[in-house]
């Protein structure tokens, strides 16, 4: 499926790859405007490829290193709850599961961040229905791991996240006694050992 | 919270995470699972009793009297030794400062060793970690951890009495009086950090000292200054007595019935973060032990003995490496 | 001054060894003016860092050749401390640090002095425009460069400069720029282009023999060093030398260091020292030196390219032969 575009086997930052009218810039590239034409240039060191939709991208192979990703709007993340108050839950984002552009071809699994980012889930973003009657203590507890989606870059210290979807919510939780909980339905989790049921906003298991 | 009817066996957890995510999610369980499998392994692939293979290069720095680079896995330390002259008459208006103990180390067949080194501060050890060696270490004043490791290295150096005061004295050739001393500035800079900085730093310091050649100095009576001969052929090696090598361990308790306590040799950064209990053994030649430290948990004496055994084995690896790179030990 | 957080030397102070006769390292190396010294550059030697590089100049031929050694590590993009104001661009900071054993003469302490601050600021400026900071909002990119070994002195008081301009610092800055760029490329941070550093100098020669002592003799008579140089210029031949080494023994009348992005043909940093244009159009001479420095940096850029490619190929091989085949192909989308 060659596009008849002669690409070098390895591209380095600053290396021109293609022209813009027929081709579009994908991840790992940027465009520069010349008076006569627009050139697509590589912005990372990696392998350039042309895709079916005529976009040119440069991807880096990433063996074992945790990847260089920032949470972007619409990317799914895994985060741990660190603080809780009636209006919002403060979380620490430690893994990003794609959803944004893929410059770094690390596969579709979770990509762990080297550095954790702080985020916030506001009460109105916990679930899609009955937003005004949410009780945070029935949705999350400190120490839970939640799957959420980034809705905004937020302000200087926090990303804004939302769990308002069936597949989003608590994925790993522990009871007050320290036992692991497993999900029963979208709002309850139970402990295997004692049978105690606790309330959470649970993510639908895949 | 309500109590449900008798719980049915829990369904298998449908959530599975890739290993890297799980490592971040629950580091302790991640490590425990590795150690509980058969055969017991660590996330890095090593066995619990395997140390990382060290590598050594010496004399790569242009302006240091002695230098060494030691790498164990992803931890790398560069050490440079420079000698400067401490004149006894300097800064005191021409008077010679006499130590309170009254000993300037002369006579007694060179005994009273180590006292001058310690009392006059002739060996200045420092460990610099603010080089961007790992994500927690920025340039700036040394962190508590760096200061603690520096103090341990300094203590080890003085207590092992590896450097004799005699080799640092500068004499007046006519009267055989001590007029000045060499002061050794030992600077270890950590280039890359993946756990267990102490072993690598100590080995680099020892290798740098062994490769140090100081200019030949004497006290010039006419000018009352210490002068050195410039010819490189007249440089003399430091008289470093013997060898000593440290071996550090991290201990994790898997719980009774699940494997008990496991001792991990040469822990990397991840393991150091998970395990609270630490042991350090400094082994000497002839299967002797110079220093033992243990802390962070409650353990049996048998654990410490196991660590001593592993440390003496490790000593042989280091000894062989030093013999290859530096020539036979003096 | 005692630094409370470190172990300090004796309070009375120590001095570096004083030799009977000053040792002359100055070897008159017959290198052609346009030959650059060989550089050894390897990336990825500090695995904990997002990107890293190690540079050695020149690759030593003998064990005792003094070399310039630097390592660089890059971290980022990582979250800013929450007290910082919101910024839609990444904040790039660069820090350069000399190890205590890196310079000849007096041992450097650990305390950050003006020289380090100055070079760090210059490094930030040189790298700042090359990184696509707009792609990483609310984050910090930190670049750390450690100088392990300087070839010659840094122009501190007491170093012998032979009456000319000292290029030690410029050489350190130019190589630091190159090393940091290689580390940034290794980290996979998006950039517009890679910056390479180069140095060039105007050197005084007469009949092919380097005149070391003539300037000093004139100085003895009490002349101003500038006047002395002017006098020399009228008599001697002035050559443009690329990549001058501080220990070559030349008298350098003026020098320039640049940070240059080769693919975009843009300069990010220009630093000149010395007086240019004694007899002739000074603009011409400035251009000449800066062009020389640009040529030197283009040579360095080729080395950076090679090092980054080599590392990439190594990573590809580690992932299996399948990827290896795609590289030699024409990069089409058949590879999935």
């Amino acid at each position: 499926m060659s596009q008849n575009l002669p690409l070098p086997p390895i591209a380095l930052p600053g290396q021109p790859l293609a022209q813009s009218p027929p081709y579009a810039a994908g991840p790992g590239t940027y465009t520069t405007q010349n008076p006569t034409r627009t050139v697509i240039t590589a912005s990372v060191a990696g392998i350039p490829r042309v895709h079916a939709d005529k976009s040119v991208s440069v991807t880096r192979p990433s063996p074992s290193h945790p990847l260089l990703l920032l949470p972007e709007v619409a990317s799914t993340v895994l985060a741990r709850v660190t603080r809780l108050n009636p209006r919002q839950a403060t979380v620490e984002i430690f893994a990003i599961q794609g959803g944004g552009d893929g410059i770094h071809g690390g596969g579709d699994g979770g990509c762990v961040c080297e550095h954790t980012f702080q985020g916030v889930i506001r009460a109105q973003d916990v679930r899609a229905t009955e937003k005004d009657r949410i009780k945070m203590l029935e949705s999350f507890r400190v120490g839970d791991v939640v799957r959420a989606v980034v809705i905004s870059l937020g302000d200087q210290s926090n990303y804004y996240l939302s769990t308002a979807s069936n597949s989003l919510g608590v994925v790993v939780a522990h009871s007050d006694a320290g036992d692991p909980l497993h999900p029963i339905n979208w709002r309850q989790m139970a402990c295997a050992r004692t049978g105690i049921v606790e309330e959470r906003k649970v993510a639908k298991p895949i | 919270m309500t109590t449900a009817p008798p719980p049915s066996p829990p369904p298998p957890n449908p959530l599975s995470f890739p290993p890297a995510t799980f490592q971040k999610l629950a580091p302790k369980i991640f490590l425990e699972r590795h150690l509980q499998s058969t055969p017991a392994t660590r996330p890095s692939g090593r066995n619990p009793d395997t140390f990382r293979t060290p590598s050594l290069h010496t004399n790569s720095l242009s302006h240091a009297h002695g230098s060494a680079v030691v790498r164990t896995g992803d931890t790398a330390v560069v050490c440079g030794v420079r000698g400067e002259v401490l004149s006894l008459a300097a800064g005191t208006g021409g008077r010679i400062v006499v130590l309170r103990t009254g000993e300037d180390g002369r006579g007694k067949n060179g005994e009273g060793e180590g006292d001058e080194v310690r009392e006059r501060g002739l060996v200045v050890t420092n460990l610099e970690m603010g080089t961007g060696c790992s994500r927690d270490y920025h340039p700036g004043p040394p962190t508590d951890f760096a200061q603690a490791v520096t103090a341990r290295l300094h203590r080890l150096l003085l207590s092992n009495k590896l450097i004799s005061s005699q080799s640092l004295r500068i004499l007046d050739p006519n009267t055989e009086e001590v007029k000045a001393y060499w002061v050794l500035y030992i600077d270890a800079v950590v280039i890359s950090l993946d756990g267990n900085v102490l072993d690598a730093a100590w080995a680099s310091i020892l290798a740098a000292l062994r490769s140090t050649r100081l200019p030949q100095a004497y006290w010039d009576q006419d000018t009352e200054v210490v002068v050195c001969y410039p010819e490189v052929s007249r440089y003399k090696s430091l008289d470093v007595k013997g060898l000593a090598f440290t071996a550090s361990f991290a201990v994790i308790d898997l719980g009774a019935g699940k494997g008990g306590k496991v001792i991990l040799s040469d822990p990397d950064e991840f393991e150091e973060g998970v395990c609270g209990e630490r042991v350090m053994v400094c082994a000497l030649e002839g299967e002797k032990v110079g220093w033992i430290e243990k802390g962070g948990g409650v353990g049996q004496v048998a654990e410490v003995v196991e660590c001593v055994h592993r440390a003496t084995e490790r000593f042989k690896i280091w000894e062989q490496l030093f013999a290859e790179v530096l020539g036979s030990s003096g | 001054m005692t630094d409370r957080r470190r172990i300090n030397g004796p309070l009375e102070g120590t001095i570096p060894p004083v030799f009977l006769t000053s040792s002359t390292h100055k070897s008159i190396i017959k290198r052609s003016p346009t030959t650059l010294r060989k550089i050894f550059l390897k990336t990825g030697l500090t695995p904990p860092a997002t990107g890293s590089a190690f540079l050695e100049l020149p690759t030593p031929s003998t064990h005792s050749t003094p070399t310039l050694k630097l390592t660089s590590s890059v971290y980022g993009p990582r979250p800013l401390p929450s007290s910082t104001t919101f910024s839609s661009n990444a904040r790039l900071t660069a820090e350069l640090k000399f190890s205590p054993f890196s310079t000849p003469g007096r041992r450097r302490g650990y305390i950050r002095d003006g020289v380090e601050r100055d070079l760090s600021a210059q490094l930030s400026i040189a790298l700042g425009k090359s990184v696509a900071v707009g792609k990483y909002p609310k984050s910090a990119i930190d670049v750390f460069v450690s100088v392990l070994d300087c070839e010659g002195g840094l122009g501190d008081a007491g170093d012998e400069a032979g009456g000319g301009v000292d290029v030690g610092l410029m050489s350190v800055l130019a190589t630091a720029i190159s090393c940091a760029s290689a580390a940034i490329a290794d980290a996979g941070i998006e950039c517009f282009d890679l910056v390479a550093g180069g140095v060039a100098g105007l050197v005084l020669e007469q009949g092919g023999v380097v005149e070391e002592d003539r300037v000093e003799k004139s100085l003895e008579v009490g002349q101003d060093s500038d006047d002395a140089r002017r006098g020399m210029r009228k008599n001697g031949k002035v050559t443009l030398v690329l990549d001058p080494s501080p220990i070559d023994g030349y008298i350098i009348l003026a020098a320039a260091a640049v940070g240059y992005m080769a693919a975009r043909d843009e300069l990010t940093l220009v630093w000149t020292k010395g007086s240019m244009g004694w007899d002739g159009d000074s603009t011409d001479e400035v251009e000449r030196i800066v062009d020389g420095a640009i040529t030197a940096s283009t040579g360095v850029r080729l080395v950076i390219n090679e090092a980054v490619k080599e590392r990439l190929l190594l990573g590809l091989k580690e992932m299996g032969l399948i990827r290896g085949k795609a590289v030699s192909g024409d990069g089409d989308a058949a590879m999935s």
Side-chain angles (χ1 to χ4, degrees):
Chain A
M1 229 199 329
S2 167
Q3 302 286 336
N4 290 327
L5 177 66
L7 286 175
I10 292 188
L12 294 169
Q15 193 166 1
L17 297 171
Q19 293 199 28
S20 180
Y23 297 99
T29 62
Y30 69 95
T31 53
T32 43
Q33 306 275 5
N34 280 348
T36 48
R37 60 211 169 138
T38 314
V39 180
I40 301 175
T41 324
S43 64
V44 287
I47 306 167
R49 282 201 194 93
V50 182
H51 299 276
D53 60 352
K54 290 207 166 187
S55 69
V56 180
S57 73
V58 179
T59 48
R60 275 176 73 80
S62 55
S64 50
H65 205 76
L67 300 182
L68 194 68
L69 282 184
L70 286 186
E72 286 166 7
V73 178
S75 54
T76 317
V77 300
L78 284 176
R80 193 191 314 263
V81 179
T82 51
R83 281 204 299 268
L84 210 53
N85 73 46
R87 277 175 302 143
Q88 65 188 32
T90 311
V91 303
E92 184 186 57
I93 301 171
F94 64 86
I96 303 176
Q97 285 181 314
D101 327 343
I103 295 185
H104 303 273
D108 50 7
C111 333
V112 182
C113 310
E114 263 185 80
H115 318 276
T116 56
F117 302 89
Q118 197 175 14
V120 137
I121 306 176
R122 296 172 300 175
Q124 62 263 40
D125 297 321
V126 174
R127 59 176 189 227
T129 57
E130 293 187 324
K131 290 187 188 181
D132 46 335
R133 289 203 285 159
I134 251 285
K135 287 199 186 136
M136 287 308 269
L137 274 179
E138 287 170 10
S139 313
F140 305 119
R141 289 292 168 102
V142 173
D144 288 352
V145 176
V146 304
R147 183 182 298 127
V149 78
V150 179
I151 50 177
S152 153
L153 293 184
D155 59 12
Q156 69 206 45
S157 35
N158 293 310
Y159 285 86
Y160 285 179
L161 308 174
S162 160
T163 53
S165 162
N166 284 343
S167 61
L168 303 175
V170 175
V171 289
V172 173
H174 292 264
S175 71
D176 290 340
D179 299 312
L181 297 169
H182 66 270
I184 302 176
N185 57 40
W186 73 273
R187 42 192 309 201
Q188 287 179 323
M189 298 181 94
C191 165
R193 190 173 62 92
T194 57
I196 294 179
V197 173
E198 292 192 18
E199 303 206 341
R200 299 282 199 280
K201 197 282 175 186
V202 188
K204 183 170 172 170
I206 304 160
Chain B
M1 280 186 264
T2 53
T3 320
S8 47
N13 195 339
L15 304 164
S16 58
F17 298 105
T21 314
F22 193 57
Q23 186 173 11
K24 266 281 175 133
L25 198 58
K28 190 147 193 277
I29 302 180
F30 185 72
L31 183 60
E32 284 172 0
R33 293 261 172 92
H34 271 91
L35 294 173
Q36 282 163 346
S37 60
T38 42
T41 51
R42 294 148 83 169
S44 53
R46 288 188 276 153
N47 289 333
D49 58 356
T50 312
F51 288 83
R52 289 174 285 193
T53 316
S55 74
L56 171 67
H57 298 275
T58 52
N59 282 325
S60 34
L61 298 176
S62 334
H63 305 296
H65 292 124
S67 62
V69 182
V70 169
R71 259 191 185 261
T72 46
D74 287 342
T75 302
V77 181
V78 178
C79 179
V81 174
R82 276 171 79 135
E84 292 199 350
V85 174
L86 170 68
S87 175
L88 288 179
T92 55
R95 295 171 291 124
I96 294 197
V97 177
V98 175
L99 297 175
R100 223 170 266 228
T101 57
E103 293 252 9
D104 260 318
R106 286 181 299 129
K108 289 190 186 173
N109 305 327
E111 280 174 27
E113 301 284 352
D115 291 331
E116 288 155 288
V117 170
R118 194 187 291 267
E119 293 192 16
R120 289 196 186 268
L122 298 181
V123 165
V124 182
T125 332
N126 275 299
L127 181 76
E128 176 58 64
M129 293 182 78
T131 54
C133 56
S134 104
R135 63 192 164 115
D136 302 320
Y137 294 96
H138 309 253
T143 56
D144 290 343
F145 178 70
Q147 291 180 58
V149 180
T150 301
R152 287 166 89 193
L153 289 169
H154 191 64
R155 222 167 36 219
L156 274 173
L157 198 53
L158 291 180
S159 77
N160 280 325
K161 293 193 171 33
L162 292 170
I163 305 173
S164 67
S165 313
Q166 197 168 23
S167 51
L168 298 178
R169 292 183 198 138
I170 300 175
L171 309 172
D172 183 341
N174 300 327
T175 63
E176 291 293 311
E177 227 183 297
V178 180
K179 290 289 193 178
Y181 288 100
W182 279 107
V183 173
L184 295 176
Y185 287 93
I186 303 173
D187 298 297
V189 173
V190 183
I191 302 292
S192 173
L193 180 64
D194 187 20
N196 200 4
V197 69
L198 184 75
D199 287 1
W202 171 257
S204 73
I205 290 176
L206 193 59
L209 285 171
R210 289 205 139 232
S211 70
T212 302
R213 296 179 67 81
L214 292 175
Q216 190 171 16
Y218 67 96
W219 171 262
D220 184 0
Q221 274 187 318
D222 305 323
T223 52
E224 298 225 323
V225 181
V226 173
V227 185
C228 304
Y229 294 106
E231 297 91 0
V232 177
S233 50
R234 293 187 104 162
Y235 280 37
K236 291 194 304 184
S237 296
L238 266 188
D239 174 30
V240 178
K241 296 188 177 148
L243 290 174
F245 292 107
T246 60
S248 300
F249 306 88
V251 186
I252 185 170
D253 192 359
L254 296 175
K258 292 190 203 163
K261 291 196 127 186
V262 181
I263 301 174
L264 305 171
S265 302
D266 195 8
D268 57 30
E269 190 79 15
F270 169 69
E271 291 159 359
E272 278 187 350
V274 175
C275 308
E277 196 176 339
R278 302 285 166 83
V279 184
M280 190 276 278
V281 177
C282 180
L284 305 174
E285 290 169 306
E287 304 209 346
K288 299 199 186 126
V289 173
W291 194 280
I292 299 182
E293 288 178 5
K294 173 189 152 29
V298 177
Q300 307 268 1
V301 175
E303 284 163 29
V304 180
V305 173
E306 165 71 22
C307 293
V308 171
H309 282 143
R310 293 194 200 175
T312 39
E313 288 306 311
R314 179 69 164 168
F315 180 92
K316 294 175 189 152
I317 310 273
W318 280 115
E319 191 178 22
Q320 196 177 15
L321 181 65
F322 269 50
E324 273 169 33
V325 178
L326 289 164
S328 59
S329 50
Chain C
M1 90 174 90
T2 50
D3 182 355
R4 289 248 181 108
R5 295 192 225 211
R6 296 188 203 267
I7 296 178
N8 294 296
L11 281 173
E12 305 94 327
T14 56
I15 48 172
V18 174
F19 292 95
L20 272 178
T21 53
S22 63
S23 56
T24 41
H25 282 294
K26 290 200 169 110
S27 51
I28 300 173
I29 299 172
K30 277 296 172 192
R31 199 164 36 114
S32 104
T34 50
T35 312
L36 304 175
R37 291 173 291 168
K38 269 190 185 303
I39 297 177
F40 174 75
L41 177 60
K42 195 154 190 226
T43 55
L45 285 177
T46 308
T50 318
S52 58
F54 172 76
L55 191 151
E56 189 169 356
L57 163 78
T59 28
S61 45
T62 62
H63 199 43
S64 54
T65 326
T67 52
L68 177 62
K69 290 190 186 68
L70 317 160
T71 82
S72 165
S73 51
V74 172
Y75 292 90
R78 54 181 173 179
L80 286 168
S82 43
S83 51
T84 354
T85 50
F86 176 86
S87 153
S88 54
N89 291 334
R91 188 184 67 177
L92 179 76
T93 48
E95 289 230 27
L96 185 131
K97 214 166 150 71
F98 286 98
S99 303
F101 39 72
S102 52
T103 49
R106 185 135 213 147
R107 172 178 174 267
R108 291 186 75 88
Y110 285 101
I111 301 192
R112 213 164 155 225
D113 62 356
V115 172
E116 282 180 2
R117 271 186 240 266
D118 181 32
L119 288 186
S120 301
Q122 305 262 36
L123 188 60
S124 306
I125 293 172
L127 295 172
K129 287 298 178 186
S130 70
V131 175
V133 288
K135 301 224 174 165
Y136 305 108
K138 277 207 315 182
S139 51
I141 298 177
D142 298 318
V143 179
F144 303 114
V145 178
S146 278
V147 181
L148 297 174
D149 202 0
C150 297
E151 282 176 288
L154 294 180
D156 302 325
D159 282 351
E160 306 145 33
V165 155
D166 184 71
V167 288
L169 270 183
M170 297 177 118
S171 179
V172 168
L173 180 62
T175 32
I177 293 173
S178 313
C179 193
S181 285
I184 291 177
D186 184 48
I189 295 175
E190 292 198 47
C191 324
F192 298 118
D193 194 0
L194 296 179
V195 191
V199 184
L202 278 183
V203 149
L204 181 69
E205 277 189 281
Q206 188 153 15
V209 175
V210 175
E211 299 276 351
E212 278 178 46
D213 43 350
R214 288 195 68 187
V215 176
E216 281 172 22
K217 284 199 188 118
S218 317
L219 286 173
E220 278 170 36
V221 184
Q223 270 179 305
D224 188 80
S225 63
D226 274 356
D227 285 343
R229 274 187 246 144
R230 203 181 286 132
M232 291 300 106
R233 288 284 298 271
K234 293 216 155 63
N235 302 334
K237 189 172 78 108
V238 167
T239 339
L240 181 69
V241 169
L242 302 183
D243 191 21
S245 161
I247 54 167
D248 272 344
Y250 293 129
I251 304 172
I252 301 175
L253 301 168
V258 299
Y260 177 66
M261 297 203 283
R264 286 166 69 94
D265 193 27
E266 287 174 3
L267 284 171
T268 53
L269 177 84
V270 177
W271 178 18
T272 61
K273 254 192 191 183
S275 315
M276 288 166 262
W278 296 109
D279 42 22
D281 188 5
S282 57
T283 334
D284 268 352
E285 202 142 87
V286 172
E287 249 188 72
R288 208 175 136 218
I289 305 187
V290 172
D291 279 342
I294 290 178
T295 317
S297 81
T298 320
V300 177
R301 176 64 195 275
L302 295 175
V303 179
I304 299 178
N305 288 351
E306 278 314 305
V308 174
K309 272 190 202 161
E310 188 187 313
R311 179 85 192 151
L312 216 55
L313 284 173
L314 197 65
L316 290 174
K317 283 199 190 107
E318 274 171 18
M319 292 176 69
L321 288 171
I322 303 174
R323 299 264 175 159
K325 277 190 200 145
V327 171
S328 58
D330 55 7
D332 61 14
M335 229 298 302
S336 57

